[in-house]
Structure formats: C-alpha cells, structure tokens
Amino acid sequence: MTESDKERQPESGNDSNIENLPTSTTQPQVEFKEGGYGWVVIFGVFILNAHTWGLNSSFAVFLAYYLRTGMFGASQLGYAFVGGLSISIALLASPLATTLIGWNRCGTQLTIFLGVIFETIGFIGSSFATELWHLILSQGVAFGLGMGLCFVASASVPPQWFVKRRSFANAIAASGSGFGGLCYSLATNAMISNIGLSWAFRILAVICFVINTIAAYLIRDRNKDIGSVHIAFNWQLFKRTPFLLMQAWMFLSLIAYIILVFSIVDYCQTVGLSASQASLVGALFNMAQGLGRPAIGLSSDSVGRLNIANLCTLFCGLLCMFFWIFGAQTLAACIVFAILSGSVAGVIWATVAPVTAEVVGLALIPSALSMTWLVLVLPATFAEVIGLSLRRAGPGGYLHVQLFTAFLYIGAFMFGWALRAWKVWEMEQARLNKEQRELAIRDDGVLTSASEHEPNTNDLDAPQQPVSFLRGLWVMVRV
C-alpha cells in the first residue's frame, strides 16, 4: 500500500472498545496532499490562539494590578479565582463546542464565531465592572466561554492537514498563545498605566473581535474527509489505561503551568522589581512560549512525541526546583528563568493533539479532547487559588509555591513516562519492524494494519508480558 493510498483511507484508532462508534460521514475520502491550504489553517489557528489564550495570559498583569491596588475590594483568592474560572469555563464548554461542531447547521467556523462574540462581551462587560462579581461574570465566565468555543473548535483542526509534519504544524499553531501573551502583557500594562483599566478592556474587545473574526473565516476542517467522531461524552475512553495515564499527565501539568504563568509577574515584584520590569519578565516568558512550542513540535517529529513531551515536563520541574528557588532573585536572573521555563512550561498545549492521537487515533481526537478538557476543569479552576494560598508575606514568601509547582511537574513526568512505556510495549506487541515502527509513529500510533496478522493483540490494555511493559521505562527508542 502506498502512502497516498493510506492517506485516502479514513484514519482511526486501535481501540476495540470504540471501533463501532458512528462517524460523521460515509462518503469516500478525497485525495489529500499534506500542507497546501493547511498552512493557511495554521495561520488562522495561530492568530486565534494569540487572541484567546494569549489575551488570557495577560491576566497575570491584571492580577498584579488588582493585588497592588486592591481594586473591587476583594481578597487575593477572589482575584485568583477570576483567572482560574476563565480557563475552567473554557474547558467546561468542550461538550457544547463538540456538539456544535458535529451539528450540520453549525460546524467549526460558526462555533468559533460564537466564541468571538462571547469574548467581546466579556471584555466590554469587564470595562464597566465595579464589584468582584461583575468581574467574575465578565472576565471569568463570558470570556472563558468564548475562549472555550474558539479553542475546542480549532484544536483538532491542524492535525487533520498534516501527516509527516503534524507535530511541527500543531506546535506552530499553539505558539500563537505565546506571542499573543508577549504582545498583550506589555500592551496591557501600558494601556492600564496611560488610559486606565476600563479603556484597556474596551480596546482589547475591539481587537479581539476583528482579528478572531478573520481567523474564523480562514479555519476550515476536514471532518467529513477523515470521518471525525464528535461525541461529547465518550465515557468508553476511560476504560483505557493509557488514556488515564495521559489524563494524569495533563492534570498535574496544568496546575503547575497555571500557577507559574499567573504568578511570575507578582513574584518578580515581591523580590524588588518594579511593575514595568515584572511586566517585561512576564512578556519574555510568553515570548519563550511562542518560540519554544515550534521547537518542541519540530523535535517531536524527529525524536518522538512522547519522548519530547515528557523530557520537557521534567526539565521544567527541575528549573522550578533549583533555578526558581535559588537563582531568580534579580532582574537578569528572572529574565533567564522566564526564557528557560517559558520555552517548556506549556508543553501540554504544544503536544496535546499529537499525544492524544498516539493514544486513541486521529479520528477520535475530537471526542478524546472533549473528555480531556472536562477532566481539566477542576485543576484549572483552583490552580491559582492554591498557588496564592501557599504564598506568604515577606522574603521567601513564594518558597512553598515554588516547591509545589516543581513537584507537580515531576509527578506529571512520572505518569507521562509510564504512558511512553505503554506505547513502546504496544509497538513491540504488534511485532513491527523498524520501518513499520517509524510509520506507526508518524501516523500517530494507528497500528490496525500491522495488527491484522496478530490475533492476540486486540486487547492492548491488558499486557500479558509485564516485563516487556516495564522495559519501556528505560529503553531508548523514538516514540
């Protein structure tokens, strides 16, 4: 079978529990060439991420402003709850977004545009907020709902347009949030200082509406061509041990990531930096995310997606354990820490779609991601609340926060490495030769054709050779 013939077949996972799920179409798949309009889609998702997650990253500047001025008369935990709520609402919207995408009268583009409307309403409402509950409803709920509709609708689209460079393309799209955070961390601080908080929100609302409307027009999916499964509540996925391992990796990583990205600006001010200097450190952190994610994607395609995802997670944990605690005390040291940690802190966003495809297959990505976002609602809601509750006044007040963040990343690495061991074992059970193994990795672990001649490999979740499974913990192989 040639590569082009393989690409013309509907892609699917290797899970026997969900092989009978209905797909969105039974029409024959049209011939597909990698790239092409896919690069326009990548650009659309890039600017969409810049004006959703990138704008959300600027909440670190808003949070530092709220904490310093005491505006709205709320407690520290109340302000932290607003930032966590926007992310949790975005993730909680995943079933709604998945259902709208699969609805013939709506689809991907209209779902994104609905998200744009809610984002704009959120910023406009925030500009008139006078009490904390106003801010919770606007900057928390409305903006979060809009961000969720945009994100969930667009997250599964980039992998549909690429095969060989799937991780790289997905990482470029994800890097938009880093570059957006860079721009809006600096811009937000400048706007608040010069024109006030209310007009800063209104200007962000106009920019968000215009740019994201253009992005919605550019993004086109291939759901019908690949037979994507849009089931919002696919509970059968939780019967798979590797899917549970992936959830644990995402769960712990997200808590650590939110604490780090929302706390870094305030931390810099606690060690004696000015508001403008702290804003610069936050901007450089986001710039490092923008530059680091394409590098993560490019190396994932050559070194292995699970390898890179887990090594980056471990590296960030070690940075928080040693550099953040012992080194980040001056402006120069904080900048170095921001650049190093920023390049790998959001590895989950750069690799979530390719790693999910490794676990469930390409066609089931929308359903798997929908369930993943629901799992992440709880940590997203309370991550920064936990972080600020660990914060103490005076020198060394962030020590508990730093230790907590470091151990979360290291714990996430342990679960991710166990997932990698499963993947190594899966390919060995399928008895793939070197060439077939490379092809399986490139096609996100779709081992159906290779397993047709192996009648005993249907249940990949119940390994009969535990020694072979444990071997995956230390064997060096591209996976």
Side-chain angles (χ1 to χ4, degrees), residues 321-340:
M321 177 68 73
F322 298 105
F323 200 149
W324 194 11
I325 294 176
F326 300 107
Q329 304 295 326
T330 64
L331 175 60
C334 287
I335 288 175
V336 173
F337 172 73
I339 293 174
L340 291 177

Side-chain angles (χ1 to χ4, degrees), residues 44-289:
V45 178
F46 176 91
I47 60 175
L48 185 68
N49 284 331
H51 294 82
T52 51
W53 291 106
L55 282 170
N56 188 69
S57 295
S58 67
F59 181 76
V61 177
F62 286 112
L63 178 61
Y65 178 77
Y66 298 153
L67 292 175
R68 292 292 176 269
T69 62
M71 196 171 186
F72 304 111
S75 65
Q76 293 182 359
L77 298 184
Y79 294 129
F81 183 69
V82 175
L85 186 64
S86 66
I87 298 179
S88 62
I89 292 294
L91 300 175
L92 193 61
S94 59
L96 173 62
T98 302
T99 302
L100 290 175
I101 296 167
W103 186 27
N104 292 333
R105 295 185 179 181
C106 190
T108 298
Q109 289 183 319
L110 186 55
T111 302
I112 294 174
F113 185 68
L114 289 174
V116 174
I117 294 175
F118 277 104
E119 271 194 291
T120 306
I121 292 173
F123 279 129
I124 294 295
S126 298
S127 70
F128 293 101
T130 57
E131 298 182 25
L132 181 63
W133 69 270
H134 298 163
L135 203 64
I136 290 175
L137 290 178
S138 54
Q139 195 173 14
V141 176
F143 176 80
L145 177 59
M147 183 169 66
L149 293 175
C150 292
F151 171 64
V152 175
S154 62
S156 61
V157 177
Q160 298 176 357
W161 289 89
F162 296 88
V163 179
K164 293 180 180 179
R165 291 174 287 185
R166 181 170 289 152
S167 292
F168 179 53
N170 186 78
I172 291 177
S175 70
S177 61
F179 287 110
L182 166 66
C183 295
Y184 290 110
S185 291
L186 296 174
T188 299
N189 184 67
M191 284 189 290
I192 292 175
S193 300
N194 291 283
I195 60 177
L197 182 65
S198 296
W199 276 104
F201 276 126
R202 291 163 192 159
I203 291 176
L204 290 177
V206 174
I207 295 174
C208 168
F209 181 80
V210 174
I211 300 299
N212 285 347
T213 298
I214 295 174
Y217 176 77
L218 295 176
I219 297 172
R220 300 177 187 176
D221 61 58
R222 297 183 60 243
N223 291 331
K224 292 184 178 180
D225 294 332
I226 68 173
S228 291
V229 179
H230 291 91
I231 299 179
F233 299 101
N234 190 354
W235 302 107
Q236 291 180 341
L237 291 169
F238 288 99
K239 296 179 180 179
R240 302 198 65 197
T241 299
F243 186 75
L244 294 177
L245 290 173
M246 188 189 78
Q247 299 310 300
W249 170 65
M250 292 283 293
F251 190 97
L252 297 180
S253 294
L254 183 65
I255 298 176
Y257 171 76
I258 292 176
I259 292 176
L260 182 57
V261 73
F262 283 168
S263 299
I264 192 169
V265 174
D266 183 63
Y267 167 79
C268 290
Q269 295 185 49
T270 63
V271 296
L273 302 186
S274 66
S276 60
Q277 289 175 326
S279 177
L280 174 63
V281 173
L284 292 176
F285 179 89
N286 286 295
M287 181 196 72
Q289 290 195 80

Side-chain angles (χ1 to χ4, degrees), residues 417-418 420-422 424-425 427-429 437 465-477:
W417 202 253
R420 176 191 180 274
W422 162 82
V424 172
W425 174 84
M427 291 191 297
E428 290 182 347
Q429 286 294 97
R437 181 176 299 178
Q465 300 179 14
V467 175
S468 177
F469 176 81
L470 293 176
R471 180 174 169 271
L473 294 173
W474 65 80
V475 66
M476 304 308 296
V477 63

